[in-house]
Amino acid sequence: MANANISFDDKQNVFHLSNQQISYLIQIEEGGLLSHLYFGKKITKYHGSRHYPRLERKNGND
């Protein structure tokens, strides 16, 4: 089984889950929402510049 690592950057509120081959980064945004930042080839550090625009969703009752 691959050796897994989990780290947390408390300045950017980013979790970095990784093993020898892949990285998965998620961020805690305002209101406690989780945001997907990256999934792919292993990286060693997140530079903080890749943000997706937030889209407000309406429920079906509006």
Side-chain angles (χ1 to χ4, degrees), residues 21-50:
Q21 298 177 344
I22 63 168
S23 287
Y24 179 43
L25 281 76
I26 53 176
Q27 183 176 40
I28 303 171
E29 294 188 356
E30 334 173 353
L33 299 174
L34 291 178
S35 176
H36 165 84
L37 296 176
Y38 175 83
F39 178 78
K41 183 178 176 181
K42 184 175 181 177
I43 58 175
T44 56
K45 189 173 182 181
Y46 176 64
H47 48 71
S49 67
R50 183 175 277 187

